[in-house]
């Protein structure tokens, strides 16, 4: 016995499924943009904090001011679906840069809040390297006494 297909049944089924497929596709696409914005802001926060910490080594350098300048420079890049970007820079010996951002979503006007921060301590590299080398020599000296 052969079943007869009604004309147009596949079209109706495809129309019902297409809305679900498009909803999932748009959700994934907006999630990709959110992840991109988060990765970019996290990298910018760490880069700004490190720039500030390197400026803090100089005798006349202002670590916080340099970190703030760099964070505003990196934060000025446009983000897709982003609004209300704020930057906060704190500290003198330990620089902390924090970005706050709202990303809009195409679903019912919802928005996702995004916060990324980066920290870096002001470390004098020459002194640090000398301490590490001295510690390594001490550890090697302990091993020679066997």
């Amino acid at each position: 016995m052969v079943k007869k297909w009604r004309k147009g049944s596949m079209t109706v089924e495809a129309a019902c499924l297409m809305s679900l497929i498009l909803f999932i596709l748009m959700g994934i696409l907006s999630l990709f943009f959110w992840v991109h914005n988060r990765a970019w802001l996290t990298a910018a926060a760490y880069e700004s904090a490190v720039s500030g910490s390197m400026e803090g080594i100089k005798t006349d350098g202002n670590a916080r001011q340099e970190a703030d300048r760099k964070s505003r420079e990196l934060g000025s890049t446009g983000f897709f679906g982003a609004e209300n970007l704020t930057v906060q820079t704190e500290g003198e010996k330990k620089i902390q840069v924090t970005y706050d951002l709202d990303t809009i979503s195409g679903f019912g006007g919802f928005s996702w809040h995004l916060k990324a921060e980066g920290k870096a301590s002001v470390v004098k590299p020459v002194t640090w390297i000398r301490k590490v080398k001295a510690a390594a020599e001490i550890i090697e000296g302990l091993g020679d006494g066997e």
Side-chain angles (χ1 to χ4, degrees):
M1 187 163 133
V2 177
K3 267 188 168 178
K4 285 191 174 183
W5 288 89
R6 293 186 178 160
K7 288 187 177 183
S9 66
M10 292 297 281
T11 304
V12 172
E13 290 173 8
C16 291
L17 284 177
M18 192 52 85
S19 62
L20 180 65
I21 290 170
L22 286 176
F23 182 74
I24 291 171
L25 185 66
M26 293 305 287
I28 290 172
L29 189 62
S30 64
L31 181 65
F32 284 159
F33 282 116
W34 184 82
V35 169
H36 170 267
N37 289 346
R38 181 172 172 90
W40 176 264
L41 284 178
T42 302
Y46 276 107
E47 184 176 342
S48 301
V50 168
S51 293
S53 71
M54 288 190 301
E55 185 70 21
I57 297 169
K58 298 178 182 176
T59 55
D60 59 342
N62 188 342
R64 186 175 181 183
Q65 183 180 7
E66 175 62 22
D68 190 52
R69 184 197 66 77
K70 188 70 170 181
S71 63
R72 296 201 185 284
E73 176 187 326
L74 293 172
S76 66
T77 304
F79 300 103
F80 178 77
E83 54 189 22
N84 303 329
L85 176 67
T86 58
V87 180
Q88 184 178 4
T89 308
E90 299 173 348
E92 289 298 324
K93 295 292 180 189
K94 187 167 192 167
I95 306 297
Q96 178 176 346
V97 177
T98 306
Y99 285 103
D100 279 321
L101 175 73
D102 292 325
T103 58
I104 57 173
S105 176
F107 306 114
F110 296 115
S111 66
W112 290 338
H113 183 74
L114 180 65
K115 184 176 182 178
E117 67 180 26
K119 298 177 185 177
S121 297
V122 177
V123 177
K124 295 181 179 178
V126 174
T127 308
W128 179 255
I129 291 171
R130 287 182 182 156
K131 286 180 182 178
V132 169
K133 283 185 177 182
E137 288 174 3
I138 290 172
I139 291 172
E140 284 179 13
L142 291 175
D144 292 340
E146 292 179 16

